[in-house]
Every structure is written in C-alpha cells, then in structure tokens.
C-alpha cells in the first residue's frame, strides 16, 4: 500500500513538473519572438514607429523595424502578421479602411468605432493619443494677421482677396473644398492654382499663395511662419494617432499595450508638430529625433 501510494505521489509530482515547465516555455517562446514594428512611408509615421520600437525594447522585447510601408499596404500587412504593430489614425481607420463616416463624431466616438471595427480583421487598437493629425487650412502668419483671419468663417468672407494653393484634388474631393462651401458658404477665392503637395508651404513662403490645405501636425506650423486657421464649424473629424496591432502579437506580448499607451499619452498635437519640425524643417534624422524625445518624455 505504501509502495502504491508512493508511486502515485511520484507520478503526480512528475506531471506537475512537466506541466509546470511546458506551459511557460511555450509562452516564453512567443514573447521572445521579435515584435515587428512597421511605419507608413511618411516622416511622422516613421518617427512615431521608432518611438514605439524604443518603448518596446525598454520593456525587454526584441524588435524588428519595418519602415516605409505604403499607406495602402500596411493595414493588410498587419492583418497577415507581416507587421505586428504600427501607428495609424482613428479617422483613417474609420473612413479609409472601414468605409464609415467620421464627420460629426467626437474623438472618443471615432476611436470606439475604429477599435470595434478592426476586430473582425484580427486586429486591435490601443489607447489613442491626444495628437490629432486632421485636415486643415494654413496661411502665412503675416497674411492672416494683415487680413484679420483666424477662422474659416472669416476666410470665407475675405476669400476674394486670397490666392489659394491646392494639390490638385482638394477642390474636388467631397470632404475638402466642397465641404467648406457647404458649411461656410462658397469660397470665391481670387485664384486657385495646383502645385505639388510637397511645395505648398514653400509656395506660400515665397509669396505666391495666401492659403493652402495642410495637416494639423505639419512641422512648418511650429515655426511661427504659418498660422493654422480654425475650423470653427468642425467640418473635419479628429484623426487621433493610435497604435494598430495584430491581435495574436498583442496577446503573446502582454506588455505591448501598456508600453505604447504610456507613449501615446504624451503625444499631443503640439508634440507631434515639434517632432515633425525637427525632421522636416530642421533636417534631423528621424531616429535621432525619436530617441531624444523618448529619453526626455517617457523613459
């Protein structure tokens, strides 16, 4: 009897030992797999993705960086597990990927729609940042002050004095100039000329145009040379920065969400604009800019 009891005790102990070592080893193998951090092929995305990578490395994870992925590819790449996490925008997810309307909704409402909508694609989103990269109109500061223009209502009333620089589609896209005309009344600009999108600030700086469509986190807006004109009727919805992650990757790396939420809490519109200024205006390397920001604001 004592021999039988001893045998049972030994078998139970062996089973516990085997299970106790087998399960953690599987979890360990998953968590030791490098996290693939991607970015779109624009500077803000590259800078933020590098900050994400640094935050994940600080948590002890191995990271593989995959920058410069085309905008229309990165979402699908994350679905397929070719990318584990990357920075996107709540408005982009809702309007471009989910094909739903974001106008008229608050930042939290759009973030909720985005979070729920990507679940079916095997994706998830973490906390959205206060940083908001939405559509906007900018003017040279000296022109805005000269004509006393602070918001789009004032711009509409004085549009006949304003030379507008477009990028070829703004005057046609439903959510752009047509939306402005519908909400504020027709903008009868003195002239509308099309330029390469990358030249719009230069054209205004050279005095060849008085206003142009921009993004609200553009680095040039941090120089003082340009003024963002307030959308006082809120026709353009929030596009808050948000990490998009593959669900399996997020589950197998449980500290990922916490690390990136900590980063995003600090990425305000002002912070993003400053980061973009350092890269796009001052010509600094985005990796250097990301590292300096992370060490001063998060680490």
């Amino acid at each position: 009897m004592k021999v039988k009891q001893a045998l049972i005790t030994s078998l139970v102990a062996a089973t516990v030992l085997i299970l106790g070592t087998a399960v953690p080893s599987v979890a360990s193998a998953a968590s030791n797999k490098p996290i693939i951090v991607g970015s779109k092929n624009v500077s803000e995305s590259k800078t933020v993705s590098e900050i994400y990578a640094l935050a994940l490395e600080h948590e002890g994870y191995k990271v593989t960086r995959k920058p410069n992925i085309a905008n229309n590819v990165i979402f699908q790449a994350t679905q397929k597990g070719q990318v584990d996490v990357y920075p996107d925008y709540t408005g982009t997810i809702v309007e471009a990927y989910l094909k739903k309307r974001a106008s008229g909704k608050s930042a939290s409402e759009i973030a909720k729609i985005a979070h729920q909508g990507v679940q079916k694609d095997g994706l998830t989103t973490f906390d959205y940042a206060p940083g908001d990269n939405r559509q906007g109109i900018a003017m040279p500061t000296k022109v805005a002050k000269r004509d006393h223009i602070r918001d789009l209502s004032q711009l509409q009333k004085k549009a006949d004095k304003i030379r507008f620089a477009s990028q070829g589609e703004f005057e046609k896209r439903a959510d752009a100039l047509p939306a402005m005309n519908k909400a504020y009344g027709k903008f009868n600009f003195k002239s509308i000329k099309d330029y390469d999108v990358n030249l719009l600030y230069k054209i205004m700086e050279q005095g060849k145009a008085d206003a142009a469509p921009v993004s609200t986190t553009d680095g040039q807006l941090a120089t003082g040379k340009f003024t963002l004109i307030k959308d006082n009727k809120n026709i353009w919805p929030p596009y808050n920065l948000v990490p998009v992650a593959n669900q399996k990757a997020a589950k197998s790396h449980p500290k990922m969400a916490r690390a990136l939420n900590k980063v995003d809490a600090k990425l305000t519109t002002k912070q993003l604009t400053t980061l973009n200024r350092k890269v796009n205006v001052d010509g600094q390397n985005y990796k250097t800019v990301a590292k300096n920001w992370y060490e001063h604001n998060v680490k």
Side-chain angles (χ1 to χ4, degrees):
M1 185 70 177
K2 290 182 179 179
V3 173
K4 185 177 180 182
Q5 184 64 44
L7 180 60
I8 292 173
T9 302
S10 299
L11 287 172
V12 171
T15 302
V16 171
L17 180 62
I18 291 169
L19 292 175
T21 56
V23 174
S25 67
V26 172
S28 178
S31 60
N32 284 334
K33 183 180 178 182
I35 298 175
I36 303 171
V37 180
S39 84
K40 297 183 180 182
N41 54 0
V42 291
S43 62
E44 181 170 292
S45 184
K46 290 191 290 184
T47 303
V48 173
S49 72
E50 180 62 20
I51 294 172
Y52 285 179
L54 293 169
L56 294 170
E57 287 175 335
H58 186 70
E59 289 290 343
Y61 290 125
K62 296 177 181 177
V63 172
T64 298
R65 292 160 171 80
K66 279 192 177 181
N68 292 312
I69 301 173
N71 289 4
N72 61 345
V73 171
I74 195 165
F75 188 81
Q76 289 80 7
T78 310
Q79 284 179 282
K80 297 174 182 177
Q82 297 167 342
V83 170
D84 291 326
V85 65
Y86 77 98
D88 212 321
Y89 303 92
T90 55
T92 300
I93 295 168
V94 170
E95 295 192 328
Y97 304 145
L98 302 179
K99 306 299 183 184
K100 295 183 178 181
R101 287 180 58 84
S103 59
K105 295 180 173 61
S106 68
S108 60
E109 289 172 332
I110 295 172
K112 184 177 180 180
I113 294 170
H115 180 74
Q116 294 175 342
V118 299
Q119 299 292 320
K120 61 180 173 50
D121 297 308
L123 303 175
T124 189
T125 60
F126 301 145
D127 292 349
Y128 67 91
D132 181 357
N133 186 359
R134 71 174 79 183
Q135 176 68 59
I137 299 293
M139 298 179 66
T141 298
K142 61 182 180 181
V143 176
K145 287 183 176 180
R146 181 197 70 194
D147 294 337
H148 306 287
I149 296 173
R150 295 181 299 276
D151 59 40
L152 290 182
S153 290
Q154 293 169 335
L155 178 63
Q156 188 273 336
K157 291 176 182 177
K158 300 176 181 180
D160 59 345
K161 299 179 181 179
I162 302 300
R163 298 165 298 164
F164 193 78
S166 180
Q167 80 291 59
E169 61 173 25
F170 188 82
E171 59 266 45
K172 303 172 185 176
R173 217 175 59 230
D175 64 340
L177 185 56
M180 291 168 58
N181 289 333
K182 184 177 180 181
Y184 292 95
K186 188 170 178 58
F187 285 75
N188 293 307
F189 288 116
K190 182 178 181 179
S191 64
I192 298 179
K193 292 185 179 180
D194 294 338
Y195 300 91
D196 184 291
V197 66
N198 298 310
L199 297 177
L200 293 180
Y201 282 104
K202 187 174 182 180
I203 292 299
M204 287 192 287
E205 193 168 11
Q206 291 175 344
K208 298 177 181 178
D210 305 310
V214 300
S215 295
T216 53
T217 60
D218 284 345
Q220 290 86 346
L221 295 172
T223 64
K225 295 179 180 179
F226 302 94
T227 296
L228 184 67
I229 304 305
K230 184 178 180 181
D231 172 19
N232 53 301
K233 293 188 178 181
N234 295 313
I235 62 172
W236 290 311
Y239 269 55
N240 293 85
L241 184 75
V242 67
V244 177
N246 182 282
Q247 288 179 4
K248 291 181 180 178
K251 187 175 181 180
S252 61
H253 299 89
K255 293 186 288 184
M256 182 195 294
R258 182 184 67 184
L260 300 190
N261 287 342
K262 187 177 178 181
V263 166
D264 269 16
K266 306 277 184 126
L267 286 172
T268 63
T269 301
K270 184 177 180 180
Q271 290 286 337
L272 289 172
T273 305
T274 300
L275 289 170
N276 289 332
R277 175 186 177 171
K278 290 180 178 179
V279 176
N280 296 327
V281 179
D282 300 339
Q284 296 182 38
N285 182 278
Y286 77 90
K287 290 186 177 181
T288 302
V289 171
K291 183 179 179 181
N292 289 339
W293 185 90
Y294 179 75
E295 290 180 346
H296 284 90
N297 292 277
V298 182
K299 189 174 179 181

